[in-house]
Amino acid sequence: VEPELIDRFEDGFGWIAHPEETMQRASHAIDFGDGVWIVDPVDALGIEEEIDALGPVKGVVVLLDRHERDAAAFARRFDVPVFHPPYVDRDFDTKTEMLGATLPGGDVEVIRTLSWPNWSEAALTDGEILQTADVLGTASYFTVGPERIGVHPLVRLSPPQHLRRLTPDRIFVGHGPGIDENATRALDRALDGARRRLPQAWFAGLKSLF
């Protein structure tokens, strides 16, 4: 199956390895200015060549404790470590490095977005790009009503309010294509209506299962 390329811009792109999946698992390769970082990758036909064309790879980043996906395979393929925050603790079966407050060698901030039992998650931002894992998404079961991007149905009771301080131009997510127009407004709308639109979101999520 050919992957669907998404979120393409001058310094990166994303892909959905299995476009037929309801979950719309999205992966990204982004050059933040000092090399390419591969984020929460799912392997797909021809993706290695697309990443090579973008530039030298610095590392593979895993933002969610259940998003090990194919991170180890990508790390071995590009001979780089898997980077992860200390609270995203998995056995990756390859060389790993712990992330601190920023990505190594740059100004890309690592933000903890969720700290629940069995669900720890981070996001990356350089001020212009916000890369999340599961707290935000655009797949059908994330968004309801006027939302272009939505809070995960299970997180709507306690949305990540600390993301309000951010004013991104682009938002990339772990499920579905990202958004690159009026991204800050879309983020504010998602956070503002997360609780209010919770019943709609749960109903939409149940429908997606059938």
Side-chain angles (χ1 to χ4, degrees), residues 124-160:
L124 304 175
T125 183
D126 65 352
E128 296 180 359
I129 296 169
L130 172 61
Q131 169 75 67
T132 68
D134 272 20
V135 292
L136 300 174
T138 63
S140 60
Y141 56 96
F142 276 86
T143 59
V144 292
E147 297 172 349
R148 296 167 52 225
I149 191 168
V151 176
H152 191 289
L154 298 180
V155 184
R156 282 179 176 261
L157 279 174
S158 184

mmCIF file of all heavy atoms in Angstrom, residues 124-160:
data_model
loop_
_atom_site.group_PDB
_atom_site.id
_atom_site.type_symbol
_atom_site.label_atom_id
_atom_site.label_comp_id
_atom_site.label_asym_id
_atom_site.label_seq_id
_atom_site.Cartn_x
_atom_site.Cartn_y
_atom_site.Cartn_z
ATOM 1 N N LEU A 124 6.581 18.666 20.799
ATOM 2 C CA LEU A 124 7.733 19.462 20.403
ATOM 3 C C LEU A 124 7.252 20.782 19.830
ATOM 4 O O LEU A 124 6.241 20.823 19.118
ATOM 5 C CB LEU A 124 8.556 18.741 19.326
ATOM 6 C CG LEU A 124 9.062 17.334 19.620
ATOM 7 C CD1 LEU A 124 9.756 16.758 18.375
ATOM 8 C CD2 LEU A 124 10.010 17.339 20.807
ATOM 9 N N THR A 125 7.980 21.866 20.119
ATOM 10 C CA THR A 125 7.659 23.135 19.479
ATOM 11 C C THR A 125 8.903 23.995 19.345
ATOM 12 O O THR A 125 9.744 24.038 20.251
ATOM 13 C CB THR A 125 6.567 23.905 20.250
ATOM 14 O OG1 THR A 125 6.252 25.099 19.517
ATOM 15 C CG2 THR A 125 7.016 24.283 21.656
ATOM 16 N N ASP A 126 9.011 24.658 18.206
ATOM 17 C CA ASP A 126 10.062 25.647 17.997
ATOM 18 C C ASP A 126 9.464 27.044 17.894
ATOM 19 O O ASP A 126 10.135 27.981 17.476
ATOM 20 C CB ASP A 126 10.872 25.327 16.739
ATOM 21 C CG ASP A 126 10.049 25.417 15.458
ATOM 22 O OD1 ASP A 126 8.807 25.570 15.551
ATOM 23 O OD2 ASP A 126 10.642 25.327 14.362
ATOM 24 N N GLY A 127 8.217 27.180 18.296
ATOM 25 C CA GLY A 127 7.511 28.453 18.204
ATOM 26 C C GLY A 127 6.621 28.541 16.991
ATOM 27 O O GLY A 127 5.526 29.096 17.070
ATOM 28 N N GLU A 128 7.058 27.975 15.879
ATOM 29 C CA GLU A 128 6.262 27.994 14.653
ATOM 30 C C GLU A 128 5.538 26.670 14.429
ATOM 31 O O GLU A 128 4.418 26.641 13.920
ATOM 32 C CB GLU A 128 7.154 28.304 13.453
ATOM 33 C CG GLU A 128 7.782 29.694 13.501
ATOM 34 C CD GLU A 128 8.648 29.967 12.299
ATOM 35 O OE1 GLU A 128 8.786 29.073 11.431
ATOM 36 O OE2 GLU A 128 9.203 31.077 12.219
ATOM 37 N N ILE A 129 6.188 25.575 14.792
ATOM 38 C CA ILE A 129 5.614 24.235 14.619
ATOM 39 C C ILE A 129 5.276 23.664 15.989
ATOM 40 O O ILE A 129 6.076 23.774 16.929
ATOM 41 C CB ILE A 129 6.610 23.301 13.912
ATOM 42 C CG1 ILE A 129 6.906 23.782 12.495
ATOM 43 C CG2 ILE A 129 6.085 21.867 13.884
ATOM 44 C CD1 ILE A 129 8.079 23.064 11.842
ATOM 45 N N LEU A 130 4.105 23.072 16.099
ATOM 46 C CA LEU A 130 3.742 22.271 17.268
ATOM 47 C C LEU A 130 3.517 20.850 16.786
ATOM 48 O O LEU A 130 2.642 20.606 15.950
ATOM 49 C CB LEU A 130 2.475 22.818 17.934
ATOM 50 C CG LEU A 130 1.874 21.950 19.051
ATOM 51 C CD1 LEU A 130 2.853 21.769 20.199
ATOM 52 C CD2 LEU A 130 0.558 22.538 19.545
ATOM 53 N N GLN A 131 4.329 19.937 17.277
ATOM 54 C CA GLN A 131 4.203 18.517 16.935
ATOM 55 C C GLN A 131 3.699 17.768 18.163
ATOM 56 O O GLN A 131 4.361 17.743 19.201
ATOM 57 C CB GLN A 131 5.556 17.947 16.505
ATOM 58 C CG GLN A 131 5.605 16.431 16.368
ATOM 59 C CD GLN A 131 4.906 15.922 15.129
ATOM 60 O OE1 GLN A 131 5.347 16.174 14.013
ATOM 61 N NE2 GLN A 131 3.823 15.175 15.321
ATOM 62 N N THR A 132 2.510 17.187 18.057
ATOM 63 C CA THR A 132 1.941 16.441 19.174
ATOM 64 C C THR A 132 1.834 14.961 18.809
ATOM 65 O O THR A 132 2.108 14.560 17.680
ATOM 66 C CB THR A 132 0.554 16.988 19.558
ATOM 67 O OG1 THR A 132 -0.379 16.702 18.503
ATOM 68 C CG2 THR A 132 0.604 18.488 19.800
ATOM 69 N N ALA A 133 1.394 14.177 19.797
ATOM 70 C CA ALA A 133 1.202 12.743 19.571
ATOM 71 C C ALA A 133 -0.286 12.426 19.540
ATOM 72 O O ALA A 133 -0.901 12.388 18.479
ATOM 73 C CB ALA A 133 1.937 11.942 20.646
ATOM 74 N N ASP A 134 -0.894 12.256 20.727
ATOM 75 C CA ASP A 134 -2.297 11.832 20.788
ATOM 76 C C ASP A 134 -3.243 12.841 21.444
ATOM 77 O O ASP A 134 -4.454 12.684 21.319
ATOM 78 C CB ASP A 134 -2.419 10.508 21.552
ATOM 79 C CG ASP A 134 -2.266 9.290 20.660
ATOM 80 O OD1 ASP A 134 -1.706 9.445 19.556
ATOM 81 O OD2 ASP A 134 -2.684 8.194 21.062
ATOM 82 N N VAL A 135 -2.732 13.825 22.166
ATOM 83 C CA VAL A 135 -3.656 14.740 22.859
ATOM 84 C C VAL A 135 -4.486 15.559 21.874
ATOM 85 O O VAL A 135 -5.613 15.951 22.165
ATOM 86 C CB VAL A 135 -2.939 15.685 23.844
ATOM 87 C CG1 VAL A 135 -2.383 14.916 25.020
ATOM 88 C CG2 VAL A 135 -1.863 16.501 23.164
ATOM 89 N N LEU A 136 -3.925 15.806 20.690
ATOM 90 C CA LEU A 136 -4.645 16.503 19.623
ATOM 91 C C LEU A 136 -4.649 15.625 18.382
ATOM 92 O O LEU A 136 -3.722 14.847 18.155
ATOM 93 C CB LEU A 136 -3.983 17.842 19.290
ATOM 94 C CG LEU A 136 -3.863 18.882 20.394
ATOM 95 C CD1 LEU A 136 -3.053 20.079 19.903
ATOM 96 C CD2 LEU A 136 -5.238 19.338 20.869
ATOM 97 N N GLY A 137 -5.675 15.768 17.559
ATOM 98 C CA GLY A 137 -5.726 15.013 16.318
ATOM 99 C C GLY A 137 -6.741 15.589 15.355
ATOM 100 O O GLY A 137 -7.560 16.438 15.725
ATOM 101 N N THR A 138 -6.658 15.131 14.114
ATOM 102 C CA THR A 138 -7.618 15.563 13.088
ATOM 103 C C THR A 138 -8.377 14.388 12.488
ATOM 104 O O THR A 138 -9.245 14.598 11.639
ATOM 105 C CB THR A 138 -6.916 16.328 11.945
ATOM 106 O OG1 THR A 138 -5.999 15.450 11.284
ATOM 107 C CG2 THR A 138 -6.171 17.541 12.475
ATOM 108 N N ALA A 139 -8.045 13.165 12.886
ATOM 109 C CA ALA A 139 -8.811 12.009 12.419
ATOM 110 C C ALA A 139 -10.267 12.176 12.827
ATOM 111 O O ALA A 139 -10.598 12.927 13.749
ATOM 112 C CB ALA A 139 -8.232 10.726 12.997
ATOM 113 N N SER A 140 -11.159 11.462 12.155
ATOM 114 C CA SER A 140 -12.595 11.714 12.290
ATOM 115 C C SER A 140 -13.097 11.612 13.723
ATOM 116 O O SER A 140 -14.029 12.314 14.115
ATOM 117 C CB SER A 140 -13.373 10.738 11.399
ATOM 118 O OG SER A 140 -13.116 9.391 11.770
ATOM 119 N N TYR A 141 -12.504 10.763 14.521
ATOM 120 C CA TYR A 141 -12.995 10.571 15.883
ATOM 121 C C TYR A 141 -12.441 11.610 16.871
ATOM 122 O O TYR A 141 -12.770 11.583 18.054
ATOM 123 C CB TYR A 141 -12.685 9.155 16.381
ATOM 124 C CG TYR A 141 -11.223 8.762 16.329
ATOM 125 C CD1 TYR A 141 -10.404 8.884 17.444
ATOM 126 C CD2 TYR A 141 -10.676 8.244 15.164
ATOM 127 C CE1 TYR A 141 -9.069 8.520 17.394
ATOM 128 C CE2 TYR A 141 -9.347 7.868 15.102
ATOM 129 C CZ TYR A 141 -8.549 8.004 16.216
ATOM 130 O OH TYR A 141 -7.233 7.638 16.155
ATOM 131 N N PHE A 142 -11.595 12.520 16.398
ATOM 132 C CA PHE A 142 -11.085 13.607 17.234
ATOM 133 C C PHE A 142 -11.942 14.867 17.137
ATOM 134 O O PHE A 142 -12.085 15.594 18.116
ATOM 135 C CB PHE A 142 -9.660 13.980 16.812
ATOM 136 C CG PHE A 142 -8.575 13.130 17.410
ATOM 137 C CD1 PHE A 142 -8.193 11.940 16.817
ATOM 138 C CD2 PHE A 142 -7.902 13.539 18.553
ATOM 139 C CE1 PHE A 142 -7.177 11.166 17.354
ATOM 140 C CE2 PHE A 142 -6.881 12.778 19.105
ATOM 141 C CZ PHE A 142 -6.522 11.585 18.496
ATOM 142 N N THR A 143 -12.442 15.169 15.955
ATOM 143 C CA THR A 143 -13.049 16.477 15.714
ATOM 144 C C THR A 143 -14.562 16.393 15.617
ATOM 145 O O THR A 143 -15.112 15.467 15.018
ATOM 146 C CB THR A 143 -12.492 17.095 14.419
ATOM 147 O OG1 THR A 143 -12.766 16.213 13.321
ATOM 148 C CG2 THR A 143 -10.991 17.319 14.521
ATOM 149 N N VAL A 144 -15.211 17.395 16.182
ATOM 150 C CA VAL A 144 -16.670 17.515 16.095
ATOM 151 C C VAL A 144 -17.032 18.988 15.916
ATOM 152 O O VAL A 144 -16.242 19.882 16.227
ATOM 153 C CB VAL A 144 -17.379 16.961 17.351
ATOM 154 C CG1 VAL A 144 -17.218 15.464 17.450
ATOM 155 C CG2 VAL A 144 -16.880 17.645 18.620
ATOM 156 N N GLY A 145 -18.227 19.232 15.407
ATOM 157 C CA GLY A 145 -18.709 20.606 15.257
ATOM 158 C C GLY A 145 -17.774 21.446 14.415
ATOM 159 O O GLY A 145 -17.350 21.025 13.329
ATOM 160 N N PRO A 146 -17.403 22.634 14.911
ATOM 161 C CA PRO A 146 -16.580 23.545 14.116
ATOM 162 C C PRO A 146 -15.083 23.250 14.190
ATOM 163 O O PRO A 146 -14.278 24.001 13.628
ATOM 164 C CB PRO A 146 -16.874 24.903 14.763
ATOM 165 C CG PRO A 146 -17.098 24.571 16.206
ATOM 166 C CD PRO A 146 -17.796 23.220 16.201
ATOM 167 N N GLU A 147 -14.692 22.180 14.857
ATOM 168 C CA GLU A 147 -13.275 21.933 15.101
ATOM 169 C C GLU A 147 -12.543 21.470 13.841
ATOM 170 O O GLU A 147 -13.005 20.579 13.141
ATOM 171 C CB GLU A 147 -13.112 20.870 16.194
ATOM 172 C CG GLU A 147 -13.664 21.288 17.537
ATOM 173 C CD GLU A 147 -13.668 20.155 18.545
ATOM 174 O OE1 GLU A 147 -13.428 18.980 18.138
ATOM 175 O OE2 GLU A 147 -13.911 20.421 19.734
ATOM 176 N N ARG A 148 -11.393 22.077 13.585
ATOM 177 C CA ARG A 148 -10.488 21.603 12.536
ATOM 178 C C ARG A 148 -9.443 20.660 13.123
ATOM 179 O O ARG A 148 -8.824 19.866 12.412
ATOM 180 C CB ARG A 148 -9.811 22.784 11.851
ATOM 181 C CG ARG A 148 -10.793 23.677 11.112
ATOM 182 C CD ARG A 148 -10.171 25.001 10.697
ATOM 183 N NE ARG A 148 -8.930 24.788 9.961
ATOM 184 C CZ ARG A 148 -7.814 25.486 10.194
ATOM 185 N NH1 ARG A 148 -7.779 26.400 11.132
ATOM 186 N NH2 ARG A 148 -6.730 25.251 9.490
ATOM 187 N N ILE A 149 -9.227 20.815 14.403
ATOM 188 C CA ILE A 149 -8.356 19.923 15.162
ATOM 189 C C ILE A 149 -9.041 19.742 16.511
ATOM 190 O O ILE A 149 -9.704 20.668 16.999
ATOM 191 C CB ILE A 149 -6.939 20.517 15.307
ATOM 192 C CG1 ILE A 149 -5.961 19.482 15.862
ATOM 193 C CG2 ILE A 149 -6.930 21.784 16.158
ATOM 194 C CD1 ILE A 149 -4.508 19.910 15.746
ATOM 195 N N GLY A 150 -8.940 18.549 17.089
ATOM 196 C CA GLY A 150 -9.675 18.294 18.316
ATOM 197 C C GLY A 150 -8.832 17.631 19.380
ATOM 198 O O GLY A 150 -7.795 17.017 19.094
ATOM 199 N N VAL A 151 -9.274 17.748 20.629
ATOM 200 C CA VAL A 151 -8.648 17.062 21.748
ATOM 201 C C VAL A 151 -9.107 15.602 21.744
ATOM 202 O O VAL A 151 -10.257 15.298 21.417
ATOM 203 C CB VAL A 151 -9.033 17.751 23.074
ATOM 204 C CG1 VAL A 151 -8.473 16.993 24.276
ATOM 205 C CG2 VAL A 151 -8.540 19.203 23.086
ATOM 206 N N HIS A 152 -8.207 14.704 22.078
ATOM 207 C CA HIS A 152 -8.542 13.279 22.134
ATOM 208 C C HIS A 152 -9.803 13.079 22.974
ATOM 209 O O HIS A 152 -9.956 13.689 24.038
ATOM 210 C CB HIS A 152 -7.380 12.498 22.741
ATOM 211 C CG HIS A 152 -7.492 11.019 22.610
ATOM 212 N ND1 HIS A 152 -8.414 10.267 23.322
ATOM 213 C CD2 HIS A 152 -6.803 10.124 21.843
ATOM 214 C CE1 HIS A 152 -8.283 9.002 23.011
ATOM 215 N NE2 HIS A 152 -7.318 8.876 22.118
ATOM 216 N N PRO A 153 -10.738 12.234 22.522
ATOM 217 C CA PRO A 153 -11.989 12.049 23.261
ATOM 218 C C PRO A 153 -11.804 11.716 24.740
ATOM 219 O O PRO A 153 -12.591 12.160 25.577
ATOM 220 C CB PRO A 153 -12.668 10.893 22.511
ATOM 221 C CG PRO A 153 -12.146 10.989 21.119
ATOM 222 C CD PRO A 153 -10.733 11.464 21.257
ATOM 223 N N LEU A 154 -10.784 10.958 25.079
ATOM 224 C CA LEU A 154 -10.561 10.568 26.475
ATOM 225 C C LEU A 154 -9.894 11.657 27.305
ATOM 226 O O LEU A 154 -9.810 11.545 28.530
ATOM 227 C CB LEU A 154 -9.722 9.287 26.542
ATOM 228 C CG LEU A 154 -10.346 8.037 25.910
ATOM 229 C CD1 LEU A 154 -9.410 6.847 26.056
ATOM 230 C CD2 LEU A 154 -11.693 7.735 26.563
ATOM 231 N N VAL A 155 -9.430 12.720 26.643
ATOM 232 C CA VAL A 155 -8.715 13.792 27.343
ATOM 233 C C VAL A 155 -9.577 15.051 27.459
ATOM 234 O O VAL A 155 -9.202 16.017 28.099
ATOM 235 C CB VAL A 155 -7.387 14.109 26.609
ATOM 236 C CG1 VAL A 155 -6.559 15.154 27.348
ATOM 237 C CG2 VAL A 155 -6.557 12.839 26.447
ATOM 238 N N ARG A 156 -10.756 15.038 26.861
ATOM 239 C CA ARG A 156 -11.569 16.250 26.801
ATOM 240 C C ARG A 156 -12.007 16.770 28.175
ATOM 241 O O ARG A 156 -12.213 17.970 28.333
ATOM 242 C CB ARG A 156 -12.789 16.023 25.905
ATOM 243 C CG ARG A 156 -12.468 16.094 24.429
ATOM 244 C CD ARG A 156 -13.677 15.846 23.555
ATOM 245 N NE ARG A 156 -13.336 16.016 22.151
ATOM 246 C CZ ARG A 156 -13.571 17.114 21.438
ATOM 247 N NH1 ARG A 156 -14.172 18.149 21.998
ATOM 248 N NH2 ARG A 156 -13.229 17.174 20.162
ATOM 249 N N LEU A 157 -12.134 15.898 29.154
ATOM 250 C CA LEU A 157 -12.493 16.368 30.489
ATOM 251 C C LEU A 157 -11.370 17.181 31.131
ATOM 252 O O LEU A 157 -11.620 18.017 31.996
ATOM 253 C CB LEU A 157 -12.847 15.189 31.391
ATOM 254 C CG LEU A 157 -14.255 14.618 31.249
ATOM 255 C CD1 LEU A 157 -14.404 13.368 32.109
ATOM 256 C CD2 LEU A 157 -15.299 15.663 31.645
ATOM 257 N N SER A 158 -10.152 16.933 30.696
ATOM 258 C CA SER A 158 -9.001 17.629 31.253
ATOM 259 C C SER A 158 -8.026 17.974 30.138
ATOM 260 O O SER A 158 -6.921 17.427 30.053
ATOM 261 C CB SER A 158 -8.312 16.754 32.308
ATOM 262 O OG SER A 158 -7.250 17.432 32.918
ATOM 263 N N PRO A 159 -8.415 18.896 29.238
ATOM 264 C CA PRO A 159 -7.580 19.215 28.082
ATOM 265 C C PRO A 159 -6.261 19.866 28.500
ATOM 266 O O PRO A 159 -6.179 20.465 29.576
ATOM 267 C CB PRO A 159 -8.450 20.183 27.271
ATOM 268 C CG PRO A 159 -9.397 20.767 28.260
ATOM 269 C CD PRO A 159 -9.657 19.698 29.277
ATOM 270 N N PRO A 160 -5.236 19.748 27.666
ATOM 271 C CA PRO A 160 -3.901 20.276 28.002
ATOM 272 C C PRO A 160 -3.853 21.804 27.916
ATOM 273 O O PRO A 160 -3.390 22.376 26.919
ATOM 274 C CB PRO A 160 -2.992 19.614 26.962
ATOM 275 C CG PRO A 160 -3.893 19.364 25.795
ATOM 276 C CD PRO A 160 -5.251 19.065 26.363
#
